[in-house]
Amino acid sequence: MNEIKHNWKKWLYWFALGVALICIYKILDNYENVMGVLNTFFGVISPFLIGIFIAYLLYMPSRKFEELYKKTKIKFISKKARGLGVITVYIIIIAAISILCAVILPIVFESITDFISSIPHYIEDAINAYNNLPQDSVLKSQIVQDEIHNLQNIDIKQYFNVGAILGYLVNAIGAIFSVVDIFIAIIVSVYILVDRRKILTFFKKLAGAIFKERTYKNIDKYFNNSNEIFFKFIASQFLDAIVVGILVSIAMTIMGIRYAPLLGFFIGLFNMIPYVGAIIATVIAAIITFITGGLSQTIWMVIVVIILQQIDANIINPRIVGKSLKISPLLVLFAVTFGGAYFGILGMFLAVPVIAVIKILIDDFINYREAKKKKVKIVKEE
């Protein structure tokens, strides 16, 4: 009987392997058709994936408002606390987007337009400054002169046409997201936020039915830890970026720096990338300020920005973030560099929470192995 059972398992293994090889061959043989099917599939589910992501970002704020509404003595509000919490969050988001589009974006757009239109003049000033250098200057080499000559023959305006850039951005966004997809994503996010308890309960029951108790507990533990790390990092960095952007914009405006709203917005946005982002944004802002305002203004700008970043790093950011992710700066630097090299700006931004989750897994594995070795050692000694 055991021999029959062993042979049955053996044949089942080889049969499964054969089916897998045939499937791989068919996929490679019909690569274009398979990719077409996959593209269609992901195109259909993309609004749902976006809706899940939106719900994930809005989960914590909606839960906070829900808890607030539950404490009220008005029965209707306390009973409908979850729905009212979701509605409140969306009202705040709509108001914030309206303010952004009506107040902040026009100022930033005006700065971008002015800067782009002024680029040819800045280049011309730089060329004139170069021509006024002494003939025996190190920079008066033939290579530099050839490059400047080539630069003069280039029509800069065709590369920095604001209308063309905006048109390209609109077309790119339209190619990725349609109005229908965005509408479906919002509806999906609302349903998920309202029925989140039922959804989580279902997946917990499903995981409990599939996995053993120990495996289920580990999955639940790491899911909760990962969720806490990701949400805390994303939400806190976004809020911190807004605060830094506003402070830098105000400081630059007081100093009379040209394109202050644009540079403040830029520094705030890059501040979301730990360590590296602040350095990159400050260097680029310094170059723009040097071109538009000279060396003295650049030095003062850099000093003020560094002071504000230190205030943010030591006072504002710890209060917003709360608990630290408990990973070393060297590990953060490695994660940001690696993430940026393979996944661009998004990789630089998400690399830190990902490396924090990986660190938790590695630490738990090390602790498990050490505990196991100690247990074996005790048994041997006995």
Side-chain angles (χ1 to χ4, degrees), residues 255 282 297-309:
M255 294 171 65
T282 304
Q297 195 175 58
T298 303
I299 293 172
W300 281 110
M301 185 279 295
V302 171
I303 291 171
V304 170
V305 169
I306 290 174
I307 291 172
L308 290 175
Q309 286 176 343

Side-chain angles (χ1 to χ4, degrees), residues 192-209:
I192 291 174
L193 288 171
V194 173
D195 293 331
R196 61 180 180 267
R197 188 169 295 170
K198 293 180 181 178
I199 295 170
L200 289 174
T201 302
F202 167 76
F203 280 110
K204 284 184 177 181
K205 286 183 177 179
L206 180 63

